[in-house]
Every structure is written in C-alpha cells, then in structure tokens.
Amino acid sequence: MNKSLTASVSPALVSYKGSSKIFTLTSSEHNIEVGSWKIDSTQLGILDTYFIVEQKVLHGGKQEGSKIIVITSPNGLTITLSPTRGMSIINVTGKEMRFGWDSPVKEIVNPAFINLESRNGAGWLEGFNEMVVRCGFEWAGHPGVENGEMRTLHGKAGNTPASEVEIEINEEAPYEIKVRGLIKESTFKKADLRTVAELIYIPDTHHFTIHDQLTNHADYPRDYQIMYHSNFSKPLLEKDTQFIAPIKEISPFNDYAKSGLKNYSTYLGPTKDFDEMVFNIVPYTTADGSTVAALHNKDGSKGAAIEFNINELPFLTLWKNTDTEKQGYVTGIEPGTNYAYAAPIEREQNRIRQINAGETVHFKVKYSALMNKQAVDTVKKIIADIQGKQETTFIETPIAKE
Amino acid sequence: MNKSLTASVSPALVSYKGSSKIFTLTSSEHNIEVGSWKIDSTQLGILDTYFIVEQKVLHGGKQEGSKIIVITSPNGLTITLSPTRGMSIINVTGKEMRFGWDSPVKEIVNPAFINLESRNGAGWLEGFNEMVVRCGFEWAGHPGVENGEMRTLHGKAGNTPASEVEIEINEEAPYEIKVRGLIKESTFKKADLRTVAELIYIPDTHHFTIHDQLTNHADYPRDYQIMYHSNFSKPLLEKDTQFIAPIKEISPFNDYAKSGLKNYSTYLGPTKDFDEMVFNIVPYTTADGSTVAALHNKDGSKGAAIEFNINELPFLTLWKNTDTEKQGYVTGIEPGTNYAYAAPIEREQNRIRQINAGETVHFKVKYSALMNKQAVDTVKKIIADIQGKQETTFIETPIAKE
Amino acid sequence: MNKSLTASVSPALVSYKGSSKIFTLTSSEHNIEVGSWKIDSTQLGILDTYFIVEQKVLHGGKQEGSKIIVITSPNGLTITLSPTRGMSIINVTGKEMRFGWDSPVKEIVNPAFINLESRNGAGWLEGFNEMVVRCGFEWAGHPGVENGEMRTLHGKAGNTPASEVEIEINEEAPYEIKVRGLIKESTFKKADLRTVAELIYIPDTHHFTIHDQLTNHADYPRDYQIMYHSNFSKPLLEKDTQFIAPIKEISPFNDYAKSGLKNYSTYLGPTKDFDEMVFNIVPYTTADGSTVAALHNKDGSKGAAIEFNINELPFLTLWKNTDTEKQGYVTGIEPGTNYAYAAPIEREQNRIRQINAGETVHFKVKYSALMNKQAVDTVKKIIADIQGKQETTFIETPIAKE
C-alpha cells in the first residue's frame, strides 16, 4: 500500500452554528491543515438520506500537494472542488449527467507550479480545466498591461490557495451542505480583496449555488472584476446543442466571431480548426434583475441552467470552443461584471467596477442540472417568458478591438 | 484536534561548540528538516531564567509549508523570524512594545507562491509584512532593468528559503541565543553569494543584533547591495512620533518628498492619501564609523534604536508610510549600502558595491527596544553627541529621478 | 535523530510485466506518492550480484520536497536522477569516474522555486547542475520571443515534476533496471506533449541508455525541440582533454567562438574569463545514421562516449565552458534536433521539427563510461572508422547572429 492510500484520516476542528456542524479543514489564522478527511451522513446520525463529504490530498506531477473536496450524493450530484485552486469547481457528475469538460490539462495543478505571467500573461492556461473557475477579483479578462503591470489572463483567484476552508453541514433535513473558502488577494499598496467563496448543495438535488462575498478590506475604493467561467462539454455539448437565454443585445467578441453571430445559439460538433468564438450578451431579466441562461442537448432531453442577477452580474459571455475533443471541446457560459476584453478596453468602456472601502458585494449563481425533457422544457419556458416579445439587437461589429 | 496541533515535536540534530549547544533544524547539505520543534530553558538545565525557542510549520493559503522560529523570553522580548522567508524577522514584542507593523498581507507567504517578476517587478509586495527584511544581496531597491534583466523590487533574499538553519544556545549565563540561516543566491553564470544570516539575543534583554556574513563563493568579483528594511508601527509610531539621527545630509527621494523635507523628523498620524515619503540620509558617526538612528513616540516614553556602522552600511533610507492603518501605517529605517533607487541609478551614482572572489563582508545592526523615558533620553543624548555642532545639509532637489 | 533520517520507508505499489517487477513510486493518475523508498537485490532474491534502488525526499532551501532516485551498483555505476526535475540525471559515479559537474547551484531545486521567465528568460540557470538535462520539448535553446511569448532558456521539461514514476526491475539476469517518468507539457490551446523519459541500466556495467518517447496528444501537429544537454567535468575534463567525433561540418556558434574553431577538439584547463565557446556540429554516421561523440582525458586513460542516431538527433552542440572551477568548469556534449539558437533563428533555419497529432517519436542516447585506455582506444577507432577519409568542413563564420 502506498502512503496516500494508507494515510489516516485526520479529525477536523468542529464547531456549531444553530443546527449546523462546522468542520474546519484549513485555517491560516489558526494554523490548521487537516489533510485527508472524510465524513458520511451516518456518522452524523442522518438515516433518511446518504452523502459523503471528503477531502483528499493529491500527488504526482504538478498536482503535488493540491487538495480536492468531494461531495457525493448518490441520488443527486457528485461535486468536486479544489481549495488549492481558489475553490474552483472541478467537475460535477450525476446520472448520465456531467458539468465540466476534458482539458488537455489533466492534473489539479498546484499554483506553486504556475507562472501566471508566462506566455505573455496567459500562464493561466497551464492549469485551466475547471467546471467553474472564478476569473477575478483584482482583475479578469484577457492579458493586458495597465500602468506598466501585466493583468494576467483571468486574474489570480483561481490560482490562490484558500486561507480558511470549512464545511458546514446542517443536521436537520434537507441537510444543506456548505463548502466555504477564503480567497485573499492582499498585496501591500495594491489591493486587499478577500472573498468568502461558498458552494451550497442539498443532497439528492440536481442543483447547487455559488454564493461569494467579496469584501474590500482596504481603506480605499478598489477595482474589481469577476466572471464565473462555467464550462460544459459532453453529454450536454454536441452537434446542434442549443444555447438559450433572454437576449437584449448580442455582439461578436472579435472579427472571427462575426461569421458566427447569426447562429450563436447553435453549436457545432467537434470541429477541427474551429478554435473559439466568443459573444458578448446583455440579457433581459425579470423585474428584479434575475435571468437565466441555459444549454440543452439536441433532443432537449438534458441540459444545464445558470441563474444570476444582472444587478450583481450585468454581462454574459458566451464562449463556444467547439474545437476537437482533445483540443478541448467545451463551451463557457460566463455571467460577469464585465466582458473578457483586456483591462484597458474594459476600463475605457466603463465595465470595471469599484468596491468601496469596507464594502461587501455578493454574487449568487445557481447551477441546475436539467435531468430530463420536462426540466429542459420548464427552463425554456422561463426564458421565453422573460424574453416575451422583446427584440434582440444584433450588433454586427465588435465593440472593441484587442 | 487537527494535525498541526497534534504533530509530535521532532528532535533536532545536536552538536556542541564550547559551552554552546547547537540544534540543526534544517540542512540541505545533510538532508535534515526537523519541522515542528521546541525546547525551553528547563530542558537545558537552566534554572535562573526562562525562555523558549521553537519552530512551527505554518498552514493555510499561501503560507502552506512556511516555517517560523519563535524565541520567547517572558521578561524580555518575543522574536519571531521565518527561515522560509530568508530569515526575515517577522515581529518582535515585549511589554507594551512592538517592533513590526500590520500589513494587508497577513500570512507568512511561502516563496513558492511569490512571483517577484509580477507587477512589473514588484511581486515582492505580495509577501511584504516583516519587521526586518533583507533587501539584497544580488540586488536591491526599486525595480529596474539592467542588461535586459529585471532587478525585481528589493531582491531575492527575503524570498529565499534558508538552506541551513541552526539554533545555538550558550548554556552558560547570560545564555546567548543565536539563530543562524544560510541564504544562497547561487545561479550559474550569475552569482554565488551566500549569506550566513544570524540573529543574536540574550534572554531578558530588550535588544537584539543581526550579524550577517556575506561571502562571494564565485571566482569573480560580484555586485552586491543590502538594505536592512526595518519597520515600525504602533505603539512606537503615532502622530508626532520623532525620528532622530545624527544627519550630515538629507535629500528627498523624489518630488513628492520635497514638501516633507523640512519636517522629515516628525511623523503624521494615519493619513489618507499620504502614500509614502522617502528620504536619503548620510549620517554623522563616531570616529569608528558607528552611528544610531532612532524613533520615539510623542511623549518620549518608548522608542527603538538602530545602531550600525557606516563602514559597513554607509547610507540610511527613511521611509515614512504614514497612510491609513489598513493600508499599512508604518515607517522603515533602513541602513544600507545604497539608497532605494533602481539599479541603473544606483550604479550611475556609484552606490553598488563589489565583493571580491572569496571575500566575506560583515554587517551588524543592533536593535534596541527603548522601554521607558530614560532609555529614550539616553539614546537622544548619544545622537545629539554624535551630531554635536555639525550642521545638517538639506538638499532640496532629489538626487535622481526614476 | 531528525525526521528525514527516521522516516519509515513506504512500500510502493507493485505490478508485474513478464519477468519484471514494476514499483510505482508516483502517480498523479492513481494518486500515489511513496516518498522515501528503498529496495536491494537481496529483497528480490537476487544473489549473483548486488544493487540498490532507492528514492529519497530532499530538504532544505530550494530543494525542499525534491526527490531523487539513486541506483547503486557497487561494481558498476551509481546513477542519481530526479523525478522532481523532469527525470534529469544529476550525477553518475564509478571507480575513479564521474559524469556530471560542480555547478554553483548545489541543491536539487524544486521547480516550485524556479521562475523560468526571470532574468530575461534565463531563470533556468538558477537550477542548472545536472549531468543530463532535457532541453525541450515544447521549445529549447536560448531565450527568445515568438508570437509575443518568451521561449525561456532550454524549455520546461527539466523543471517539470514527473507525473508518473516507476521502477522496473527484471528479476532474471542481467537484471535490467528501468526508471521511467512521465513528463507532461500540457497547456490548453498550446501543446499536449507527453514524454515517457526512461533510463535503462544493467547492474555491474559502465553504460546506461536514455530512451524517451515523446507523444503529441493533441489533435494538431506541434513543434518540438530536444537537446540532451550532457555535461562532464573532472576527472574527464582537464587541460588537453580531447573531444572526438566524426565531423562533417563544424561552425562557431558566435563571433567569440571563431577564435576557438581551429582548436575545437582540445580543452583548456580552468581558465579565468574564458566564459564559454559553443560549436555547431553535423556528424558523420554509419549507414544507419548511428554516430558517436566522445571525450577522453589527456593521457587517454578514461573517457565518456555518447551514441545517438542522426535520424532522431541530427545535430550536435559542443559547449566548452572551461572557466574557473567555482564558476563551473564543464563541457556539454549535446545531441539534439536543433542548435541552441533562440527559437526565431532555429525556425528561420528550419531546425524546429513538428510531431503529428497522435504521433510518437523516440530518442535513444547511450552513455558509456570508458574506464581504461582500452575502452578509450576502442571508441577512438569506431569514430575514426566512421570519419574514414571524409573531410571536415570548417565554416568560419557563425551561421546566425543572436
């Protein structure tokens, strides 16, 4: 038996909040690192459903020392996230369902081995394989130089190990599970943005929610950007998969995407030399700002829905990377505070937000696995209702040139 | 209990030198890493005073794997340094006394997570929170390009894990404690500078000394720079805190500092939008080159003194960063071989020194916590005596422009 | 006793292939990391020879967490390689024999502490001390910018920790030992090159072979470069050591090397201010493309031979770095797919190869320690026979200017 297989499971620090038990797995403040850890519902005296939550320490290559947390709900979803990689969601699976994709990057890369500045600011691509990666918060988008400093591709959050990690399990039905990590982007003279990045999941269900709280701990207002880069591939993505959303305005990201604008809603199968087409979208919403974007396979028998609110995340980027499977056959649906242009463009076009000193801003994104035709149809109807008779404006010319 | 709390304490390799016991905690040469380790004076049979020396391995976020060594002398000082961060002194505390400051960077960042080249050569700011950090030795000062290579902010020593770490405790009164680390800056074709970085402390006292021995192991003379970036905040720094030193010549670092030249010796309270003012100082000394710079609070009831010799460290940089507390309310008193200008300026103005092949140069800096008015007054008198009737030259125009 | 000395040896995962036993020491796929591990021939029931294979985890400074694998054959060679550093061969020793050199870099640097982009793309020099380091595979050669991206000195393979590591020992005489590591250079949108890097050694012998299999896992053809940077110093390198090879064409790498062209085959002793002279060589071969380059000491009593095939590795770089001993007195004999010019030059001169989607290319390099005059003479005769009466073309002017 090798070391990783025999490693004893360490007990976590336990505390209580109402009817919830909180297990602290990592704390830089209290100098805690639990390492391998596992609990299942029976150990909590829960008998009317079954789930497991565990942390594993990974080994080999560039994932040496990375950690993953896996929530397993046999009748619902299995959700894998990585505290070492900024609480990114690596993968989500269910019965004949999967959120996520197959990147040529197979390992859960420890940020110690990543140089974000490499490849002219695109070093992020050496670790990119997540289902949801937070592009932010000090900056996001394509690499670009501002004030002499390289704003590396999609920022640092996804390559920042969480400083505090805890699992909160409600011991009363429906046994809500929260996995929380604190992501610090703290640099003397520059920024002190700290994000409590939370995943919320109820066992046996087919949906989960991200709830992030970004606080500016500095005494000055600071820029921030965030895009929830949410990625899907097979079995949801195939030839003639449909992207649906209530769309007020859509434009091609660049000249290459112009030719795909008309058919933005339909996907190709794996297509050699396709590379990627990106579209900028302003969604329509309900009166309170809520909206939904979704994806369903060709026959409408399964899909994914992403709910968000434009008061928090006003823009939506659609990333269609329907290249070959080994190259990464994947689409990203990315609600954000901005589009993916480099920082100087986003600034010029006023999409870089500021957070005041001491202020906290919230972001909620709900992901639903649409397990059957009925679920898909329900979401289609919601989207159609939001769109109503409102028209979609097609802007033919890219709004910016990188 | 979590792993870090239950981790057994490992015994260190022990050797002897005269009446001293030497504990080897880390050795790349002998492949030793003790990890968590602790000893107190009673274990050494010392009964007439009490102290603890311990090493801890840190966890969580970007401090995963960092180590700290803490010397605790209940009647004297508690000194925390980090072998992982180049033997930097993180913090020093005593009764109502503290050397150090509160950076927005809270963790003792493992250099594996630092990219010094990021932020246009200012990546060092992502880990900066020390009481004393060595800016050097291959280079120091502000980022600048020489021969196509970026000289990153304040060099690499502070982000280089020590290769050899040992604790030497004299078993005879007054039980002098030495903590030594070897910092290697060895690069094929470039430099082979190795520094034995030593902290010396006698239990129950309120002063400690840095004694560094920099050796050029190459067969060629090499450039070196060193600034002892020594940082203070509350309770020593407050509105009307005074900086005192025997000053031969003082100039503003840049245009912004010109307006503060006249009042260089007085500090503001936390001041929004103040940012930082920096002054270049040539000190007066005693006949042997010794000098003292000091800081005391408004009512002169406590302070800090820094003694050095201009034969080793001819220049003094005064860094007044009296911005808001969350931004980092701090002042740096920085004896060095140079000022903080980028390398091309320091070179042009002949402040970059060379060390011959095989040569060893020594640097000693003594830090004293002035615990009461009497101690402050004593230092004030020493400084006044060195200054005597000699005049201070105020150079109104910055000597260089970055 | 310190932790590293008392650490228990972990058993590896064992599997079988024919008459061979395979020990898995590291696996990112199966999440295995054995750490310290050791086996000797007696444990395998082998009684007619004796050898040890062990893995050690290193500590201290920038080698914290690095691993080495050491094969010890008391009557043959002791070979040390590092899985953490891309399966580089660190050192090879035998009776009065050594392959390798003394770099100012003494530690086996963990790539987590290396920034390849630093020093204007020459950060690789902060870890360079190997006997054989693979310069490749996504790129190699001197730093240079292509398409806005820095191609850092000699590529990433040597600073990539192996993802899968296994030891294969044949339990039948002559007990062939294979140490295999998988080096992944996988980046979304860029490359998915994976190399099975293998060392093959038979106990009691004085030669070993590298057999690398590079596979392009992408759906597109990709560039690759590889140079086997093979380095020698004392006792093989001394004043009047001879380099011999069947040479079709030789040219100086740059203007500085022009003056050394005539005496390319003879080495100087350690020479201050020599720096390095590099020569580009096209070798003559046997009918099947095989060739040999070799080195022997002044009196021809010991040497090293390197066998390769120009169908795999058409070019040979001779690196004469006969500077002082502390600076690194060393020569490199480097069979490769290219010369060491920066990528834009190699591309312009058509030496950057492509590997098709799904294709695997093989590279074999055999290293022999020539233990006595007879062995040296045998290799001299082989080389003389390949050269025969064919002339060597001396190109006086460098073929490119960096």
Side-chain angles (χ1 to χ4, degrees):
Chain A
M1 294 286 287
N2 63 78
K3 197 163 77 173
S4 60
L5 296 179
T6 59
S8 63
V9 167
S10 309
L13 199 66
V14 181
S15 58
Y16 298 89
K17 189 173 97 182
S19 57
S20 292
K21 222 171 219 163
I22 298 174
F23 303 88
T24 300
L25 304 190
T26 297
S27 172
S28 68
E29 193 176 343
H30 299 103
N31 203 30
I32 293 170
E33 180 49 60
V34 164
S36 296
W37 175 86
K38 186 176 183 177
I39 201 162
D40 71 16
S41 46
T42 63
Q43 291 170 279
L44 297 164
I46 295 169
L47 303 174
D48 53 347
T49 187
Y50 183 74
F51 60 85
I52 310 166
V53 185
E54 66 184 310
Q55 178 168 276
K56 296 178 191 176
V57 182
L58 303 183
H59 298 287
K62 293 196 284 188
Q63 75 182 10
E64 187 63 42
S66 288
K67 293 173 290 177
I68 53 171
I69 293 173
V70 184
I71 303 173
T72 305
S73 168
N75 297 319
L77 299 172
T78 295
I79 301 171
T80 301
L81 50 78
S82 176
T84 315
R85 292 188 59 75
M87 305 305 289
S88 287
I89 300 172
I90 303 301
N91 202 27
V92 177
T93 58
K95 193 175 177 307
E96 292 173 22
M97 174 58 71
R98 182 192 178 203
F99 289 4
W101 61 296
D102 293 308
S103 168
V105 179
K106 301 301 180 198
E107 297 173 358
I108 311 302
V109 179
N110 190 324
F113 295 111
I114 290 279
N115 180 345
L116 294 174
E117 303 247 333
S118 70
R119 299 181 182 278
N120 201 21
W124 185 88
L125 297 171
E126 299 202 6
F128 177 40
N129 60 9
E130 298 95 337
M131 188 249 138
V132 181
V133 53
R134 290 165 181 84
C135 302
F137 288 89
E138 194 178 340
W139 64 78
H142 286 186
V145 173
E146 278 203 320
N147 305 322
E149 293 188 21
M150 172 60 84
R151 304 306 180 197
T152 58
L153 177 61
H154 287 328
K156 296 182 299 160
N159 283 280
T160 302
S163 295
E164 311 286 323
V165 179
E166 55 186 31
I167 313 272
E168 179 178 328
I169 303 176
N170 196 320
E171 296 185 286
E172 291 182 2
Y175 314 112
E176 186 181 64
I177 300 167
K178 295 178 175 176
V179 181
R180 261 190 303 274
L182 175 64
I183 310 302
K184 291 186 193 169
E185 295 177 77
S186 304
T187 305
F188 180 60
K189 294 270 185 204
K190 301 287 180 177
D192 194 2
L193 300 175
R194 304 185 209 167
T195 303
V196 178
E198 187 176 66
L199 172 100
I200 304 163
Y201 176 65
I202 293 172
D204 303 331
T205 69
H206 290 92
H207 53 83
F208 58 92
T209 299
I210 283 176
H211 177 198
D212 287 355
Q213 300 173 64
L214 165 66
T215 301
N216 176 9
H217 282 257
D219 277 325
Y220 297 94
R222 294 293 185 205
D223 294 342
Y224 75 92
Q225 295 179 275
I226 175 65
M227 301 174 76
Y228 290 88
H229 204 308
S230 315
N231 306 308
F232 306 88
S233 181
K234 293 195 299 181
L236 297 180
L237 187 62
E238 62 184 359
K239 183 175 186 315
D240 294 329
T241 281
Q242 293 296 307
F243 168 78
I244 50 173
I247 298 181
K248 187 172 177 183
E249 189 181 298
I250 182 169
S251 66
F253 186 82
N254 55 20
D255 285 343
Y256 177 55
K258 281 161 73 173
S259 65
L261 179 61
K262 200 173 128 194
N263 299 313
Y264 78 89
S265 66
T266 302
Y267 287 92
L268 297 176
T271 304
K272 204 156 181 184
D273 293 320
F274 183 83
D275 198 8
E276 61 180 36
M277 280 194 186
V278 179
F279 301 95
N280 308 321
I281 293 171
V282 180
Y284 281 119
T285 70
T286 61
D288 71 348
S290 305
T291 191
V292 191
L295 198 72
H296 65 76
N297 64 353
K298 182 181 181 178
D299 68 6
S301 63
K302 60 184 71 178
I306 303 182
E307 295 170 64
F308 57 99
N309 190 298
I310 62 159
N311 295 314
E312 293 171 358
L313 300 163
F315 302 107
L316 182 64
T317 293
L318 175 60
W319 176 59
K320 297 171 81 175
N321 195 88
T322 51
D323 209 298
T324 69
E325 294 200 26
K326 284 179 181 167
Q327 183 76 355
Y329 179 66
V330 54
T331 185
I333 300 176
E334 311 172 15
T337 57
N338 51 279
Y339 294 134
Y341 294 108
I345 293 172
E346 292 296 314
R347 188 172 308 280
E348 189 195 339
Q349 299 192 355
N350 294 313
R351 283 186 300 272
I352 296 183
R353 289 193 169 187
Q354 284 217 320
I355 179 170
N356 288 324
E359 189 187 358
T360 297
V361 290
H362 292 254
F363 307 100
K364 282 188 191 169
V365 185
K366 181 177 175 184
Y367 298 85
S368 299
L370 310 174
M371 303 298 285
N372 51 43
K373 192 167 189 313
Q374 189 187 344
V376 170
D377 288 344
T378 301
V379 166
K380 282 165 84 166
K381 183 164 185 332
I382 291 168
I383 289 171
D385 286 351
I386 297 175
Q387 181 87 40
K389 293 180 178 167
Q390 302 172 98
E391 285 195 359
T392 296
T393 302
F394 288 77
I395 298 174
E396 306 278 342
T397 305
I399 60 173
K401 198 173 175 109
E402 284 202 318
Chain B
M1 294 286 285
N2 64 78
K3 198 163 74 174
S4 59
L5 296 178
T6 59
S8 63
V9 166
S10 309
L13 198 65
V14 181
S15 57
Y16 298 87
K17 189 173 96 182
S19 58
S20 292
K21 220 171 220 164
I22 299 174
F23 302 89
T24 300
L25 303 190
T26 297
S27 172
S28 68
E29 194 177 343
H30 300 104
N31 203 31
I32 292 170
E33 180 49 59
V34 163
S36 295
W37 175 86
K38 187 176 182 175
I39 201 163
D40 71 18
S41 46
T42 63
Q43 292 170 277
L44 296 164
I46 296 169
L47 302 175
D48 53 346
T49 186
Y50 183 73
F51 59 86
I52 310 166
V53 186
E54 66 185 310
Q55 177 168 274
K56 296 178 191 178
V57 182
L58 303 183
H59 297 287
K62 293 196 283 186
Q63 76 181 12
E64 187 64 41
S66 288
K67 292 174 290 178
I68 53 172
I69 293 173
V70 184
I71 302 173
T72 305
S73 167
N75 296 320
L77 300 172
T78 295
I79 302 172
T80 300
L81 50 78
S82 177
T84 315
R85 293 188 59 75
M87 306 304 290
S88 287
I89 300 172
I90 303 302
N91 203 27
V92 177
T93 57
K95 193 172 178 309
E96 290 171 25
M97 175 58 71
R98 182 194 179 201
F99 289 4
W101 60 296
D102 294 307
S103 168
V105 179
K106 300 302 179 198
E107 298 172 359
I108 311 301
V109 179
N110 190 323
F113 294 112
I114 291 279
N115 180 345
L116 295 174
E117 302 246 333
S118 70
R119 300 182 182 276
N120 201 22
W124 185 87
L125 297 171
E126 300 202 7
F128 176 41
N129 60 9
E130 297 95 339
M131 187 249 139
V132 181
V133 53
R134 290 165 181 84
C135 302
F137 287 90
E138 194 178 340
W139 63 78
H142 286 186
V145 173
E146 278 204 318
N147 305 323
E149 293 187 21
M150 172 60 84
R151 304 306 180 197
T152 59
L153 177 61
H154 287 327
K156 295 182 300 160
N159 283 279
T160 301
S163 295
E164 312 286 323
V165 179
E166 56 186 30
I167 314 273
E168 178 178 328
I169 304 177
N170 195 321
E171 295 183 286
E172 291 180 3
Y175 315 113
E176 186 181 63
I177 300 167
K178 296 179 175 175
V179 180
R180 260 190 304 274
L182 174 64
I183 309 303
K184 292 185 192 169
E185 295 178 77
S186 304
T187 303
F188 181 59
K189 297 268 184 203
K190 302 288 180 175
D192 194 3
L193 300 175
R194 304 186 208 165
T195 303
V196 178
E198 188 176 66
L199 173 100
I200 304 163
Y201 177 65
I202 293 172
D204 303 332
T205 70
H206 290 92
H207 54 82
F208 57 93
T209 299
I210 284 177
H211 176 199
D212 288 354
Q213 299 174 66
L214 165 66
T215 302
N216 176 10
H217 282 257
D219 278 324
Y220 297 95
R222 296 292 187 204
D223 294 342
Y224 75 92
Q225 295 179 274
I226 175 65
M227 300 175 77
Y228 289 89
H229 204 308
S230 315
N231 307 307
F232 305 88
S233 182
K234 292 196 297 183
L236 297 180
L237 187 63
E238 62 184 359
K239 183 175 186 315
D240 294 328
T241 281
Q242 294 295 308
F243 168 80
I244 50 172
I247 298 182
K248 186 174 178 182
E249 186 181 300
I250 181 168
S251 67
F253 185 82
N254 54 20
D255 284 343
Y256 178 55
K258 282 160 74 171
S259 64
L261 179 61
K262 200 174 128 194
N263 298 314
Y264 78 90
S265 65
T266 303
Y267 287 93
L268 297 177
T271 304
K272 202 157 182 184
D273 294 319
F274 183 83
D275 197 8
E276 62 181 34
M277 279 193 187
V278 179
F279 300 95
N280 308 321
I281 293 171
V282 180
Y284 281 118
T285 69
T286 60
D288 71 349
S290 304
T291 191
V292 191
L295 198 71
H296 65 76
N297 64 353
K298 183 180 181 179
D299 67 6
S301 63
K302 61 184 71 179
I306 304 182
E307 294 169 66
F308 57 99
N309 189 299
I310 63 158
N311 296 313
E312 294 170 359
L313 302 163
F315 302 107
L316 181 65
T317 293
L318 174 61
W319 175 59
K320 297 172 80 175
N321 195 87
T322 52
D323 207 298
T324 69
E325 295 202 24
K326 285 180 180 166
Q327 184 75 356
Y329 179 65
V330 55
T331 185
I333 299 176
E334 312 172 16
T337 56
N338 50 280
Y339 293 135
Y341 294 108
I345 293 172
E346 292 297 314
R347 189 172 306 282
E348 190 195 339
Q349 299 191 357
N350 294 315
R351 283 186 300 271
I352 296 183
R353 289 194 167 186
Q354 284 217 320
I355 178 170
N356 288 325
E359 189 187 1
T360 296
V361 289
H362 292 253
F363 307 101
K364 282 188 192 168
V365 186
K366 181 176 175 184
Y367 298 85
S368 299
L370 311 174
M371 303 298 284
N372 51 44
K373 193 166 187 314
Q374 188 189 343
V376 170
D377 287 344
T378 301
V379 167
K380 283 166 83 167
K381 182 163 186 334
I382 291 169
I383 289 171
D385 286 350
I386 297 175
Q387 181 87 41
K389 292 179 178 170
Q390 302 173 99
E391 283 196 1
T392 296
T393 303
F394 287 78
I395 298 174
E396 306 277 341
T397 305
I399 60 173
K401 197 175 174 107
E402 287 201 316
Chain C
M1 294 285 285
N2 64 77
K3 197 163 76 174
S4 59
L5 297 179
T6 58
S8 62
V9 167
S10 309
L13 198 65
V14 181
S15 57
Y16 298 88
K17 190 173 95 181
S19 58
S20 292
K21 221 171 219 165
I22 299 175
F23 303 88
T24 300
L25 303 190
T26 297
S27 172
S28 70
E29 194 177 341
H30 302 292
N31 202 32
I32 292 171
E33 180 48 58
V34 163
S36 295
W37 175 87
K38 186 177 185 177
I39 201 163
D40 70 17
S41 46
T42 63
Q43 292 170 279
L44 297 165
I46 296 170
L47 302 175
D48 53 347
T49 186
Y50 183 72
F51 59 86
I52 310 166
V53 185
E54 66 184 310
Q55 178 168 274
K56 295 179 191 176
V57 182
L58 303 183
H59 297 288
K62 293 197 283 185
Q63 75 182 11
E64 187 62 42
S66 289
K67 293 173 291 178
I68 53 172
I69 293 173
V70 184
I71 303 172
T72 305
S73 168
N75 296 318
L77 300 172
T78 295
I79 302 172
T80 300
L81 50 78
S82 176
T84 315
R85 292 188 59 77
M87 306 305 290
S88 287
I89 301 172
I90 303 303
N91 202 26
V92 177
T93 57
K95 194 173 177 308
E96 291 171 24
M97 174 58 71
R98 182 192 178 202
F99 289 3
W101 60 295
D102 293 308
S103 169
V105 179
K106 301 302 179 198
E107 298 173 359
I108 311 301
V109 180
N110 190 323
F113 295 111
I114 290 279
N115 180 347
L116 295 174
E117 304 246 333
S118 69
R119 299 181 182 277
N120 201 22
W124 185 88
L125 297 172
E126 300 202 7
F128 177 41
N129 60 8
E130 298 94 338
M131 186 249 139
V132 182
V133 53
R134 290 165 181 85
C135 303
F137 288 92
E138 195 178 338
W139 65 78
H142 287 185
V145 174
E146 278 204 320
N147 305 321
E149 293 187 21
M150 172 59 85
R151 304 304 179 200
T152 58
L153 176 61
H154 287 328
K156 295 182 300 159
N159 283 279
T160 301
S163 295
E164 312 286 323
V165 179
E166 56 186 31
I167 314 274
E168 180 179 326
I169 303 177
N170 196 321
E171 294 184 286
E172 291 181 4
Y175 315 113
E176 186 182 65
I177 300 167
K178 295 178 175 175
V179 180
R180 260 191 303 276
L182 176 64
I183 309 303
K184 291 185 193 170
E185 294 178 76
S186 304
T187 304
F188 181 58
K189 296 269 186 202
K190 301 287 180 176
D192 194 2
L193 301 174
R194 303 185 209 167
T195 303
V196 178
E198 190 177 64
L199 172 101
I200 304 163
Y201 177 64
I202 293 172
D204 303 331
T205 70
H206 291 92
H207 53 83
F208 58 91
T209 300
I210 283 177
H211 177 197
D212 288 354
Q213 300 174 65
L214 165 66
T215 301
N216 176 9
H217 282 259
D219 278 325
Y220 296 95
R222 295 294 186 205
D223 294 343
Y224 75 91
Q225 295 179 274
I226 174 65
M227 300 175 78
Y228 289 89
H229 205 307
S230 315
N231 306 308
F232 305 89
S233 182
K234 293 196 297 183
L236 298 181
L237 187 63
E238 61 184 1
K239 183 174 185 319
D240 294 328
T241 281
Q242 294 296 306
F243 168 78
I244 49 172
I247 298 183
K248 187 172 178 182
E249 187 180 300
I250 183 169
S251 65
F253 186 82
N254 53 21
D255 284 343
Y256 177 55
K258 281 161 73 172
S259 64
L261 179 61
K262 201 174 129 193
N263 298 314
Y264 78 90
S265 65
T266 302
Y267 286 93
L268 297 177
T271 304
K272 202 155 182 187
D273 293 321
F274 183 82
D275 197 7
E276 61 181 35
M277 280 194 187
V278 180
F279 300 95
N280 307 321
I281 293 172
V282 180
Y284 281 118
T285 69
T286 61
D288 71 348
S290 304
T291 191
V292 191
L295 199 71
H296 66 76
N297 64 354
K298 182 179 181 180
D299 67 6
S301 63
K302 59 184 74 178
I306 304 182
E307 295 169 64
F308 57 100
N309 190 299
I310 62 159
N311 295 314
E312 293 171 359
L313 300 164
F315 302 108
L316 181 65
T317 293
L318 174 61
W319 175 59
K320 297 172 79 175
N321 195 87
T322 51
D323 209 298
T324 69
E325 295 200 27
K326 284 180 182 167
Q327 183 77 353
Y329 179 64
V330 54
T331 185
I333 300 177
E334 312 172 17
T337 56
N338 49 280
Y339 293 135
Y341 293 108
I345 293 172
E346 293 297 313
R347 189 172 305 283
E348 191 194 339
Q349 299 192 355
N350 293 313
R351 283 186 300 272
I352 295 183
R353 290 193 168 187
Q354 284 218 319
I355 178 169
N356 288 324
E359 190 187 359
T360 296
V361 290
H362 292 253
F363 307 100
K364 282 189 191 168
V365 185
K366 182 177 174 183
Y367 298 85
S368 299
L370 311 175
M371 304 298 286
N372 50 44
K373 191 166 190 312
Q374 188 188 343
V376 170
D377 287 344
T378 301
V379 166
K380 283 166 84 167
K381 182 164 186 336
I382 291 169
I383 289 171
D385 286 351
I386 297 175
Q387 181 87 41
K389 295 180 176 169
Q390 303 173 98
E391 284 195 358
T392 295
T393 303
F394 287 78
I395 298 175
E396 306 277 342
T397 306
I399 60 172
K401 198 175 173 103
E402 285 201 316

